[in-house]
Amino acid sequence: NNELLEMVRSKAQSWLTKSYDAETKAKVQELLKKGSTVTCGGSETLKETGIMDLLTDGSYHFLDRKSPDVTYGQIVEADCFLCSTNAFTTDGELVNIDGSGNRAACLIHGPKEVIVVTGMNKMTSDVSDAIRRIHRMAAPPNTARLKMATPCGKTGICADCLSPDCICCQTVITRKSRIPGRIKVILVGESLGY
């Protein structure tokens, strides 16, 4: 785990927490400034870790992407964007596949800081393995959860579809942050999300 952490640190600021209980939430609280404007992508990991509750507890100005009063322009100007990643490689690359691209876009550019919280179940050997993992382990349960009319949402098996509800529209590989310290990664030593 120390070698993996060092590899990820060479690409982005990163920390390893043993579990998603108080330790992970405390690290997120340490990284966020009280009163800052925060937002997030859709994430089962953020829900499972209790980070969504933290973001909406009143200590921060939370922009809910599902609210009709929140614009994408406000989201990209947030102080901090929080998300998980679909997969990460042992070389420290983040690999994400998105439907609308809001998470991938904010990871690439926009919010001043990005905090990525991910479980060790998303670790892969390389980018090809990461894409395979996403198509097999992340996209099918996500489409089922979102009630999307895709082959994988019905069968649980990726059909490499281009259906109208396809959530595999953009593939983004983040090798490093060009802006030092912008992307922060918290590796949690447990299985989280899809």
Side-chain angles (χ1 to χ4, degrees):
N1 278 347
N2 285 338
E3 286 179 25
L4 175 62
L5 186 60
E6 289 309 311
M7 184 57 72
V8 174
R9 278 189 180 144
S10 73
K11 315 272 178 152
Q13 286 186 313
S14 57
W15 298 267
L16 178 65
T17 61
K18 292 181 179 150
S19 66
Y20 66 83
D21 55 10
E23 186 181 6
T24 300
K25 272 176 81 171
K27 178 48 74 177
V28 170
Q29 281 180 301
E30 178 186 319
L31 295 173
L32 290 175
K33 296 168 187 70
K34 296 266 188 216
S36 61
T37 300
V38 298
T39 190
C40 62
S43 171
E44 289 301 297
T45 297
L46 295 182
K47 288 179 195 170
E48 289 175 25
T49 56
I51 292 170
M52 285 302 300
D53 295 332
L54 172 72
L55 298 179
T56 59
D57 76 359
S59 299
Y60 312 99
H61 176 65
F62 180 67
L63 297 174
D64 184 350
R65 66 187 177 87
K66 294 179 183 176
S67 169
D69 299 326
V70 174
T71 66
Y72 184 68
Q74 291 172 297
I75 288 171
V76 298
E77 291 183 357
D79 296 315
C80 188
F81 180 79
L82 289 93
C83 63
S84 189
T85 188
N86 293 133
F88 65 95
T89 70
T90 54
D91 284 340
E93 296 167 313
L94 304 176
V95 182
N96 290 285
I97 298 179
D98 274 10
S100 64
N102 63 315
R103 175 181 54 144
C106 287
L107 184 59
I108 295 167
H109 183 77
K112 293 177 188 86
E113 294 182 320
V114 177
I115 298 174
V116 178
V117 179
T118 188
M120 295 304 286
N121 56 310
K122 298 178 181 183
M123 181 173 65
T124 61
S125 60
D126 56 32
V127 171
S128 294
D129 189 32
I131 292 170
R132 258 190 311 281
R133 182 208 178 278
I134 295 164
H135 285 202
R136 291 179 183 166
M137 308 293 291
N142 265 322
T143 56
R145 177 181 61 85
L146 297 168
K147 297 178 179 41
M148 304 302 255
T150 63
C152 74
K154 293 174 185 161
T155 67
I157 299 169
C158 176
D160 198 22
C161 77
L162 293 174
S163 72
D165 281 349
C166 178
I167 65 168
C168 298
C169 300
Q170 291 86 25
T171 301
V172 175
I173 301 160
T174 305
R175 293 177 54 223
K176 66 176 267 176
S177 176
R178 189 169 217 182
I179 302 167
R182 180 176 177 268
I183 298 175
K184 297 159 177 56
V185 178
I186 301 173
L187 301 173
V188 183
E190 294 190 39
S191 289
L192 294 168
Y194 301 127

Short mmCIF file of all heavy atoms in Angstrom, two decimals, residues 51-117:
data_model
loop_
_atom_site.label_atom_id
_atom_site.label_comp_id
_atom_site.label_asym_id
_atom_site.label_seq_id
_atom_site.Cartn_x
_atom_site.Cartn_y
_atom_site.Cartn_z
N ILE A 51 -19.91 11.35 3.54
CA ILE A 51 -19.39 12.65 3.09
C ILE A 51 -20.52 13.53 2.56
O ILE A 51 -20.50 14.74 2.75
CB ILE A 51 -18.24 12.46 2.09
CG1 ILE A 51 -17.04 11.87 2.83
CG2 ILE A 51 -17.87 13.78 1.41
CD1 ILE A 51 -15.91 11.41 1.95
N MET A 52 -21.53 12.92 1.93
CA MET A 52 -22.68 13.72 1.46
C MET A 52 -23.35 14.42 2.64
O MET A 52 -23.72 15.59 2.54
CB MET A 52 -23.69 12.84 0.72
CG MET A 52 -23.25 12.45 -0.67
SD MET A 52 -22.89 13.85 -1.75
CE MET A 52 -24.46 14.70 -1.78
N ASP A 53 -23.50 13.72 3.76
CA ASP A 53 -24.08 14.34 4.96
C ASP A 53 -23.22 15.49 5.45
O ASP A 53 -23.72 16.54 5.85
CB ASP A 53 -24.25 13.30 6.08
CG ASP A 53 -25.25 12.22 5.71
OD1 ASP A 53 -26.18 12.49 4.92
OD2 ASP A 53 -25.10 11.09 6.23
N LEU A 54 -21.91 15.30 5.41
CA LEU A 54 -20.97 16.34 5.82
C LEU A 54 -21.14 17.59 4.95
O LEU A 54 -21.17 18.72 5.45
CB LEU A 54 -19.54 15.81 5.72
CG LEU A 54 -18.41 16.81 5.93
CD1 LEU A 54 -18.33 17.22 7.39
CD2 LEU A 54 -17.09 16.22 5.46
N LEU A 55 -21.25 17.40 3.63
CA LEU A 55 -21.34 18.53 2.71
C LEU A 55 -22.61 19.34 2.89
O LEU A 55 -22.64 20.53 2.60
CB LEU A 55 -21.26 18.04 1.25
CG LEU A 55 -19.98 17.34 0.84
CD1 LEU A 55 -20.07 16.90 -0.61
CD2 LEU A 55 -18.77 18.21 1.07
N THR A 56 -23.66 18.68 3.37
CA THR A 56 -24.96 19.35 3.50
C THR A 56 -25.31 19.70 4.94
O THR A 56 -26.45 20.07 5.22
CB THR A 56 -26.07 18.46 2.89
OG1 THR A 56 -26.09 17.20 3.57
CG2 THR A 56 -25.85 18.24 1.41
N ASP A 57 -24.34 19.64 5.86
CA ASP A 57 -24.64 19.89 7.28
C ASP A 57 -24.70 21.37 7.66
O ASP A 57 -24.92 21.71 8.81
CB ASP A 57 -23.65 19.16 8.19
CG ASP A 57 -22.27 19.82 8.27
OD1 ASP A 57 -22.03 20.86 7.59
OD2 ASP A 57 -21.41 19.30 9.00
N GLY A 58 -24.49 22.26 6.69
CA GLY A 58 -24.57 23.69 6.96
C GLY A 58 -23.23 24.38 7.13
O GLY A 58 -23.15 25.61 7.20
N SER A 59 -22.14 23.61 7.19
CA SER A 59 -20.80 24.21 7.34
C SER A 59 -20.27 24.75 6.02
O SER A 59 -19.31 25.51 6.02
CB SER A 59 -19.82 23.16 7.87
OG SER A 59 -20.23 22.69 9.13
N TYR A 60 -20.89 24.34 4.91
CA TYR A 60 -20.43 24.73 3.59
C TYR A 60 -21.62 25.22 2.77
O TYR A 60 -22.76 24.89 3.05
CB TYR A 60 -19.79 23.52 2.88
CG TYR A 60 -18.81 22.79 3.76
CD1 TYR A 60 -19.18 21.64 4.43
CD2 TYR A 60 -17.53 23.28 3.95
CE1 TYR A 60 -18.30 20.98 5.27
CE2 TYR A 60 -16.64 22.63 4.80
CZ TYR A 60 -17.03 21.48 5.45
OH TYR A 60 -16.16 20.85 6.29
N HIS A 61 -21.32 26.00 1.74
CA HIS A 61 -22.36 26.41 0.80
C HIS A 61 -22.42 25.31 -0.26
O HIS A 61 -21.55 25.22 -1.15
CB HIS A 61 -22.02 27.77 0.18
CG HIS A 61 -22.99 28.19 -0.88
ND1 HIS A 61 -24.31 28.45 -0.61
CD2 HIS A 61 -22.83 28.36 -2.21
CE1 HIS A 61 -24.93 28.77 -1.73
NE2 HIS A 61 -24.04 28.72 -2.72
N PHE A 62 -23.41 24.42 -0.15
CA PHE A 62 -23.50 23.25 -1.02
C PHE A 62 -24.34 23.55 -2.25
O PHE A 62 -25.49 23.99 -2.15
CB PHE A 62 -24.12 22.07 -0.26
CG PHE A 62 -24.24 20.83 -1.09
CD1 PHE A 62 -23.12 20.15 -1.53
CD2 PHE A 62 -25.49 20.35 -1.45
CE1 PHE A 62 -23.23 19.00 -2.32
CE2 PHE A 62 -25.61 19.20 -2.24
CZ PHE A 62 -24.47 18.54 -2.66
N LEU A 63 -23.76 23.31 -3.42
CA LEU A 63 -24.48 23.43 -4.69
C LEU A 63 -24.94 22.05 -5.11
O LEU A 63 -24.13 21.19 -5.46
CB LEU A 63 -23.55 24.02 -5.77
CG LEU A 63 -23.04 25.43 -5.55
CD1 LEU A 63 -22.03 25.81 -6.63
CD2 LEU A 63 -24.18 26.42 -5.51
N ASP A 64 -26.25 21.84 -5.06
CA ASP A 64 -26.82 20.54 -5.44
C ASP A 64 -27.06 20.52 -6.94
O ASP A 64 -27.91 21.25 -7.45
CB ASP A 64 -28.13 20.33 -4.68
CG ASP A 64 -28.74 18.96 -4.93
OD1 ASP A 64 -28.28 18.24 -5.84
OD2 ASP A 64 -29.70 18.63 -4.22
N ARG A 65 -26.32 19.70 -7.65
CA ARG A 65 -26.40 19.66 -9.12
C ARG A 65 -27.79 19.27 -9.60
O ARG A 65 -28.14 19.53 -10.74
CB ARG A 65 -25.35 18.71 -9.68
CG ARG A 65 -25.56 17.28 -9.32
CD ARG A 65 -24.40 16.39 -9.75
NE ARG A 65 -24.63 15.02 -9.31
CZ ARG A 65 -25.31 14.12 -10.00
NH1 ARG A 65 -25.81 14.43 -11.16
NH2 ARG A 65 -25.47 12.91 -9.52
N LYS A 66 -28.59 18.65 -8.74
CA LYS A 66 -29.95 18.24 -9.12
C LYS A 66 -30.97 19.36 -8.95
O LYS A 66 -32.09 19.26 -9.41
CB LYS A 66 -30.38 17.03 -8.31
CG LYS A 66 -29.57 15.79 -8.62
CD LYS A 66 -30.03 14.63 -7.77
CE LYS A 66 -29.18 13.41 -8.02
NZ LYS A 66 -29.55 12.32 -7.13
N SER A 67 -30.59 20.44 -8.28
CA SER A 67 -31.50 21.56 -8.04
C SER A 67 -31.69 22.38 -9.32
O SER A 67 -30.71 22.73 -9.98
CB SER A 67 -30.96 22.46 -6.94
OG SER A 67 -31.71 23.66 -6.89
N PRO A 68 -32.93 22.73 -9.64
CA PRO A 68 -33.16 23.56 -10.83
C PRO A 68 -32.59 24.98 -10.67
O PRO A 68 -32.42 25.69 -11.66
CB PRO A 68 -34.68 23.58 -10.97
CG PRO A 68 -35.22 23.20 -9.64
CD PRO A 68 -34.18 22.35 -8.97
N ASP A 69 -32.27 25.36 -9.44
CA ASP A 69 -31.73 26.70 -9.18
C ASP A 69 -30.21 26.76 -9.34
O ASP A 69 -29.63 27.84 -9.24
CB ASP A 69 -32.11 27.15 -7.76
CG ASP A 69 -33.61 27.24 -7.57
OD1 ASP A 69 -34.32 27.59 -8.54
OD2 ASP A 69 -34.07 26.94 -6.45
N VAL A 70 -29.56 25.61 -9.54
CA VAL A 70 -28.10 25.56 -9.65
C VAL A 70 -27.73 25.36 -11.12
O VAL A 70 -28.21 24.44 -11.77
CB VAL A 70 -27.51 24.42 -8.78
CG1 VAL A 70 -26.02 24.28 -9.02
CG2 VAL A 70 -27.79 24.69 -7.30
N THR A 71 -26.87 26.23 -11.61
CA THR A 71 -26.43 26.13 -13.01
C THR A 71 -25.07 25.44 -13.08
O THR A 71 -24.30 25.43 -12.11
CB THR A 71 -26.31 27.52 -13.66
OG1 THR A 71 -25.25 28.24 -13.01
CG2 THR A 71 -27.62 28.30 -13.53
N TYR A 72 -24.78 24.91 -14.25
CA TYR A 72 -23.48 24.30 -14.45
C TYR A 72 -22.37 25.34 -14.28
O TYR A 72 -21.30 25.04 -13.76
CB TYR A 72 -23.39 23.62 -15.82
CG TYR A 72 -22.08 22.89 -16.00
CD1 TYR A 72 -21.79 21.75 -15.26
CD2 TYR A 72 -21.12 23.37 -16.88
CE1 TYR A 72 -20.59 21.11 -15.39
CE2 TYR A 72 -19.91 22.72 -17.03
CZ TYR A 72 -19.65 21.59 -16.28
OH TYR A 72 -18.44 20.95 -16.41
N GLY A 73 -22.65 26.59 -14.67
CA GLY A 73 -21.67 27.67 -14.48
C GLY A 73 -21.30 27.85 -13.02
O GLY A 73 -20.14 28.08 -12.69
N GLN A 74 -22.28 27.74 -12.12
CA GLN A 74 -21.99 27.84 -10.69
C GLN A 74 -21.13 26.66 -10.22
O GLN A 74 -20.22 26.83 -9.41
CB GLN A 74 -23.29 27.86 -9.88
CG GLN A 74 -24.10 29.12 -10.05
CD GLN A 74 -25.47 28.98 -9.38
OE1 GLN A 74 -26.27 28.13 -9.77
NE2 GLN A 74 -25.70 29.80 -8.38
N ILE A 75 -21.43 25.48 -10.74
CA ILE A 75 -20.70 24.28 -10.33
C ILE A 75 -19.23 24.38 -10.71
O ILE A 75 -18.35 24.11 -9.90
CB ILE A 75 -21.36 23.02 -10.93
CG1 ILE A 75 -22.68 22.76 -10.20
CG2 ILE A 75 -20.44 21.81 -10.88
CD1 ILE A 75 -23.55 21.69 -10.79
N VAL A 76 -18.93 24.81 -11.93
CA VAL A 76 -17.52 24.87 -12.35
C VAL A 76 -16.76 25.99 -11.65
O VAL A 76 -15.53 25.99 -11.67
CB VAL A 76 -17.35 24.97 -13.89
CG1 VAL A 76 -17.90 23.75 -14.56
CG2 VAL A 76 -17.94 26.23 -14.45
N GLU A 77 -17.47 26.92 -11.03
CA GLU A 77 -16.81 27.99 -10.28
C GLU A 77 -16.73 27.69 -8.79
O GLU A 77 -16.28 28.53 -8.00
CB GLU A 77 -17.53 29.31 -10.52
CG GLU A 77 -17.34 29.81 -11.94
CD GLU A 77 -17.99 31.16 -12.18
OE1 GLU A 77 -18.64 31.70 -11.27
OE2 GLU A 77 -17.84 31.67 -13.29
N ALA A 78 -17.14 26.49 -8.37
CA ALA A 78 -17.11 26.13 -6.95
C ALA A 78 -15.67 26.12 -6.43
O ALA A 78 -14.72 25.94 -7.19
CB ALA A 78 -17.74 24.76 -6.75
N ASP A 79 -15.56 26.28 -5.12
CA ASP A 79 -14.24 26.18 -4.48
C ASP A 79 -13.72 24.76 -4.53
O ASP A 79 -12.53 24.53 -4.70
CB ASP A 79 -14.32 26.65 -3.02
CG ASP A 79 -14.67 28.12 -2.90
OD1 ASP A 79 -14.09 28.93 -3.65
OD2 ASP A 79 -15.54 28.46 -2.07
N CYS A 80 -14.65 23.79 -4.36
CA CYS A 80 -14.22 22.40 -4.33
C CYS A 80 -15.28 21.48 -4.93
O CYS A 80 -16.47 21.64 -4.65
CB CYS A 80 -13.91 21.97 -2.90
SG CYS A 80 -13.15 20.34 -2.81
N PHE A 81 -14.83 20.55 -5.74
CA PHE A 81 -15.69 19.51 -6.33
C PHE A 81 -15.26 18.19 -5.73
O PHE A 81 -14.07 17.86 -5.72
CB PHE A 81 -15.50 19.50 -7.85
CG PHE A 81 -16.35 18.48 -8.55
CD1 PHE A 81 -17.69 18.72 -8.81
CD2 PHE A 81 -15.80 17.27 -8.97
CE1 PHE A 81 -18.48 17.78 -9.47
CE2 PHE A 81 -16.58 16.33 -9.63
CZ PHE A 81 -17.92 16.59 -9.87
N LEU A 82 -16.21 17.42 -5.20
CA LEU A 82 -15.92 16.11 -4.64
C LEU A 82 -16.53 15.02 -5.50
O LEU A 82 -17.63 15.19 -6.03
CB LEU A 82 -16.44 16.00 -3.22
CG LEU A 82 -15.68 16.84 -2.20
CD1 LEU A 82 -16.33 18.19 -2.04
CD2 LEU A 82 -15.59 16.13 -0.89
N CYS A 83 -15.82 13.92 -5.64
CA CYS A 83 -16.31 12.81 -6.44
C CYS A 83 -15.54 11.55 -6.05
O CYS A 83 -14.63 11.59 -5.23
CB CYS A 83 -16.12 13.09 -7.94
SG CYS A 83 -14.41 13.29 -8.48
N SER A 84 -15.91 10.47 -6.67
CA SER A 84 -15.11 9.27 -6.60
C SER A 84 -14.54 9.07 -7.99
O SER A 84 -14.66 9.94 -8.85
CB SER A 84 -15.95 8.07 -6.15
OG SER A 84 -15.11 6.96 -5.90
N THR A 85 -13.91 7.95 -8.21
CA THR A 85 -13.39 7.61 -9.52
C THR A 85 -13.90 6.22 -9.87
O THR A 85 -14.14 5.41 -8.97
CB THR A 85 -11.85 7.69 -9.56
OG1 THR A 85 -11.39 7.53 -10.89
CG2 THR A 85 -11.19 6.66 -8.66
N ASN A 86 -14.10 5.94 -11.14
CA ASN A 86 -14.53 4.60 -11.53
C ASN A 86 -13.43 3.57 -11.33
O ASN A 86 -13.69 2.42 -11.02
CB ASN A 86 -14.95 4.55 -13.00
CG ASN A 86 -16.19 5.35 -13.29
OD1 ASN A 86 -16.22 6.11 -14.25
ND2 ASN A 86 -17.24 5.19 -12.50
N ALA A 87 -12.19 4.01 -11.53
CA ALA A 87 -11.04 3.12 -11.37
C ALA A 87 -9.78 3.96 -11.25
O ALA A 87 -9.74 5.11 -11.67
CB ALA A 87 -10.93 2.17 -12.56
N PHE A 88 -8.75 3.35 -10.65
CA PHE A 88 -7.43 3.98 -10.66
C PHE A 88 -6.40 2.88 -10.88
O PHE A 88 -6.63 1.71 -10.54
CB PHE A 88 -7.15 4.77 -9.37
CG PHE A 88 -7.07 3.95 -8.11
CD1 PHE A 88 -5.86 3.51 -7.63
CD2 PHE A 88 -8.22 3.63 -7.40
CE1 PHE A 88 -5.78 2.74 -6.48
CE2 PHE A 88 -8.17 2.87 -6.25
CZ PHE A 88 -6.93 2.42 -5.78
N THR A 89 -5.29 3.26 -11.49
CA THR A 89 -4.27 2.27 -11.82
C THR A 89 -3.17 2.26 -10.76
O THR A 89 -3.02 3.21 -9.99
CB THR A 89 -3.63 2.56 -13.19
OG1 THR A 89 -2.82 3.75 -13.07
CG2 THR A 89 -4.68 2.74 -14.28
N THR A 90 -2.41 1.20 -10.76
CA THR A 90 -1.28 1.12 -9.82
C THR A 90 -0.21 2.15 -10.16
O THR A 90 0.68 2.39 -9.36
CB THR A 90 -0.68 -0.30 -9.80
OG1 THR A 90 -0.34 -0.68 -11.14
CG2 THR A 90 -1.64 -1.30 -9.19
N ASP A 91 -0.31 2.77 -11.34
CA ASP A 91 0.58 3.88 -11.71
C ASP A 91 0.03 5.23 -11.25
O ASP A 91 0.63 6.26 -11.53
CB ASP A 91 0.79 3.93 -13.22
CG ASP A 91 1.74 2.85 -13.72
OD1 ASP A 91 2.51 2.32 -12.90
OD2 ASP A 91 1.69 2.54 -14.91
N GLY A 92 -1.14 5.22 -10.61
CA GLY A 92 -1.71 6.46 -10.07
C GLY A 92 -2.59 7.23 -11.02
O GLY A 92 -2.93 8.39 -10.76
N GLU A 93 -3.00 6.63 -12.13
CA GLU A 93 -3.90 7.31 -13.06
C GLU A 93 -5.35 7.08 -12.64
O GLU A 93 -5.71 5.99 -12.20
CB GLU A 93 -3.69 6.77 -14.48
CG GLU A 93 -2.30 7.07 -15.01
CD GLU A 93 -1.97 6.29 -16.25
OE1 GLU A 93 -2.21 5.07 -16.28
OE2 GLU A 93 -1.45 6.90 -17.19
N LEU A 94 -6.17 8.12 -12.80
CA LEU A 94 -7.60 8.02 -12.53
C LEU A 94 -8.30 7.78 -13.86
O LEU A 94 -8.01 8.46 -14.84
CB LEU A 94 -8.13 9.32 -11.91
CG LEU A 94 -7.46 9.80 -10.62
CD1 LEU A 94 -8.05 11.14 -10.19
CD2 LEU A 94 -7.58 8.77 -9.52
N VAL A 95 -9.22 6.81 -13.90
CA VAL A 95 -9.92 6.49 -15.14
C VAL A 95 -11.42 6.60 -14.87
O VAL A 95 -11.94 5.98 -13.94
CB VAL A 95 -9.58 5.08 -15.65
CG1 VAL A 95 -10.29 4.80 -16.98
CG2 VAL A 95 -8.06 4.92 -15.82
N ASN A 96 -12.09 7.44 -15.64
CA ASN A 96 -13.52 7.69 -15.46
C ASN A 96 -14.25 7.64 -16.79
O ASN A 96 -13.75 8.14 -17.80
CB ASN A 96 -13.74 9.06 -14.80
CG ASN A 96 -13.28 9.04 -13.37
OD1 ASN A 96 -13.95 8.49 -12.50
ND2 ASN A 96 -12.12 9.62 -13.11
N ILE A 97 -15.43 7.06 -16.76
CA ILE A 97 -16.32 7.03 -17.92
C ILE A 97 -17.64 7.64 -17.48
O ILE A 97 -18.22 7.21 -16.48
CB ILE A 97 -16.51 5.60 -18.45
CG1 ILE A 97 -15.16 5.03 -18.90
CG2 ILE A 97 -17.53 5.58 -19.57
CD1 ILE A 97 -15.22 3.61 -19.43
N ASP A 98 -18.08 8.67 -18.18
CA ASP A 98 -19.28 9.42 -17.81
C ASP A 98 -20.32 9.42 -18.91
O ASP A 98 -19.99 9.28 -20.09
CB ASP A 98 -18.92 10.88 -17.53
CG ASP A 98 -18.47 11.12 -16.10
OD1 ASP A 98 -18.25 10.15 -15.36
OD2 ASP A 98 -18.34 12.29 -15.72
N GLY A 99 -21.55 9.65 -18.50
CA GLY A 99 -22.66 9.81 -19.45
C GLY A 99 -22.75 11.25 -19.92
O GLY A 99 -22.45 11.57 -21.06
N SER A 100 -23.11 12.16 -19.01
CA SER A 100 -23.23 13.57 -19.39
C SER A 100 -21.89 14.30 -19.33
O SER A 100 -21.73 15.35 -19.94
CB SER A 100 -24.25 14.28 -18.49
OG SER A 100 -23.79 14.30 -17.15
N GLY A 101 -20.95 13.77 -18.59
CA GLY A 101 -19.61 14.37 -18.55
C GLY A 101 -19.41 15.41 -17.48
O GLY A 101 -18.33 16.00 -17.40
N ASN A 102 -20.40 15.65 -16.62
CA ASN A 102 -20.23 16.71 -15.61
C ASN A 102 -19.09 16.40 -14.65
O ASN A 102 -18.30 17.27 -14.30
CB ASN A 102 -21.54 16.96 -14.86
CG ASN A 102 -22.01 15.75 -14.07
OD1 ASN A 102 -22.00 14.62 -14.54
ND2 ASN A 102 -22.43 15.99 -12.84
N ARG A 103 -18.98 15.16 -14.20
CA ARG A 103 -17.90 14.79 -13.27
C ARG A 103 -16.55 14.87 -13.95
O ARG A 103 -15.60 15.46 -13.42
CB ARG A 103 -18.15 13.37 -12.74
CG ARG A 103 -17.02 12.87 -11.86
CD ARG A 103 -17.28 11.47 -11.40
NE ARG A 103 -17.55 10.61 -12.54
CZ ARG A 103 -17.17 9.36 -12.63
NH1 ARG A 103 -16.53 8.80 -11.62
NH2 ARG A 103 -17.46 8.64 -13.68
N ALA A 104 -16.45 14.30 -15.14
CA ALA A 104 -15.18 14.32 -15.87
C ALA A 104 -14.75 15.75 -16.17
O ALA A 104 -13.58 16.10 -16.03
CB ALA A 104 -15.30 13.51 -17.16
N ALA A 105 -15.70 16.59 -16.56
CA ALA A 105 -15.38 17.99 -16.88
C ALA A 105 -14.83 18.72 -15.66
O ALA A 105 -13.83 19.45 -15.76
CB ALA A 105 -16.61 18.70 -17.42
N CYS A 106 -15.46 18.52 -14.51
CA CYS A 106 -15.00 19.21 -13.29
C CYS A 106 -13.67 18.66 -12.80
O CYS A 106 -12.88 19.39 -12.20
CB CYS A 106 -16.06 19.11 -12.20
SG CYS A 106 -17.49 20.17 -12.51
N LEU A 107 -13.42 17.40 -13.04
CA LEU A 107 -12.13 16.81 -12.69
C LEU A 107 -11.02 17.45 -13.53
O LEU A 107 -9.95 17.77 -13.04
CB LEU A 107 -12.17 15.30 -12.91
CG LEU A 107 -10.95 14.48 -12.52
CD1 LEU A 107 -10.62 14.63 -11.05
CD2 LEU A 107 -11.17 13.02 -12.87
N ILE A 108 -11.33 17.69 -14.80
CA ILE A 108 -10.34 18.25 -15.72
C ILE A 108 -10.11 19.74 -15.50
O ILE A 108 -8.98 20.22 -15.47
CB ILE A 108 -10.79 18.03 -17.18
CG1 ILE A 108 -10.81 16.54 -17.51
CG2 ILE A 108 -9.90 18.78 -18.17
CD1 ILE A 108 -11.53 16.22 -18.81
N HIS A 109 -11.19 20.49 -15.34
CA HIS A 109 -11.07 21.96 -15.32
C HIS A 109 -12.28 22.56 -14.62
O HIS A 109 -13.38 22.05 -14.73
CB HIS A 109 -11.00 22.47 -16.77
CG HIS A 109 -10.82 23.94 -16.88
ND1 HIS A 109 -9.61 24.55 -16.67
CD2 HIS A 109 -11.70 24.93 -17.16
CE1 HIS A 109 -9.75 25.86 -16.84
NE2 HIS A 109 -11.00 26.11 -17.14
N GLY A 110 -12.08 23.65 -13.94
CA GLY A 110 -13.20 24.37 -13.34
C GLY A 110 -12.99 24.64 -11.87
O GLY A 110 -12.27 25.58 -11.52
N PRO A 111 -13.61 23.82 -10.99
CA PRO A 111 -13.49 24.09 -9.56
C PRO A 111 -12.02 24.23 -9.13
O PRO A 111 -11.14 23.56 -9.67
CB PRO A 111 -14.14 22.86 -8.92
CG PRO A 111 -15.14 22.41 -9.95
CD PRO A 111 -14.46 22.67 -11.27
N LYS A 112 -11.80 25.09 -8.13
CA LYS A 112 -10.42 25.37 -7.69
C LYS A 112 -9.72 24.11 -7.19
O LYS A 112 -8.52 23.94 -7.40
CB LYS A 112 -10.43 26.43 -6.60
CG LYS A 112 -10.88 27.79 -7.08
CD LYS A 112 -10.93 28.80 -5.92
CE LYS A 112 -11.56 30.09 -6.37
NZ LYS A 112 -13.02 30.09 -6.28
N GLU A 113 -10.47 23.25 -6.49
CA GLU A 113 -9.90 22.02 -5.96
C GLU A 113 -10.84 20.85 -6.24
O GLU A 113 -12.05 21.04 -6.35
CB GLU A 113 -9.68 22.12 -4.46
CG GLU A 113 -8.64 23.14 -4.06
CD GLU A 113 -8.43 23.18 -2.56
OE1 GLU A 113 -9.40 23.08 -1.79
OE2 GLU A 113 -7.26 23.29 -2.16
N VAL A 114 -10.27 19.67 -6.32
CA VAL A 114 -11.04 18.45 -6.49
C VAL A 114 -10.57 17.45 -5.43
O VAL A 114 -9.36 17.26 -5.27
CB VAL A 114 -10.84 17.84 -7.90
CG1 VAL A 114 -11.60 16.52 -8.02
CG2 VAL A 114 -11.27 18.81 -8.98
N ILE A 115 -11.52 16.86 -4.73
CA ILE A 115 -11.21 15.79 -3.78
C ILE A 115 -11.85 14.52 -4.31
O ILE A 115 -13.05 14.45 -4.50
CB ILE A 115 -11.72 16.11 -2.36
CG1 ILE A 115 -11.06 17.38 -1.82
CG2 ILE A 115 -11.48 14.92 -1.43
CD1 ILE A 115 -11.62 17.85 -0.48
N VAL A 116 -11.02 13.52 -4.55
CA VAL A 116 -11.47 12.22 -5.05
C VAL A 116 -11.36 11.23 -3.89
O VAL A 116 -10.29 11.07 -3.31
CB VAL A 116 -10.60 11.74 -6.23
CG1 VAL A 116 -11.05 10.37 -6.71
CG2 VAL A 116 -10.62 12.75 -7.37
N VAL A 117 -12.47 10.58 -3.55
CA VAL A 117 -12.48 9.57 -2.50
C VAL A 117 -12.76 8.24 -3.18
O VAL A 117 -13.75 8.10 -3.90
CB VAL A 117 -13.57 9.87 -1.44
CG1 VAL A 117 -13.58 8.79 -0.37
CG2 VAL A 117 -13.37 11.25 -0.83
#
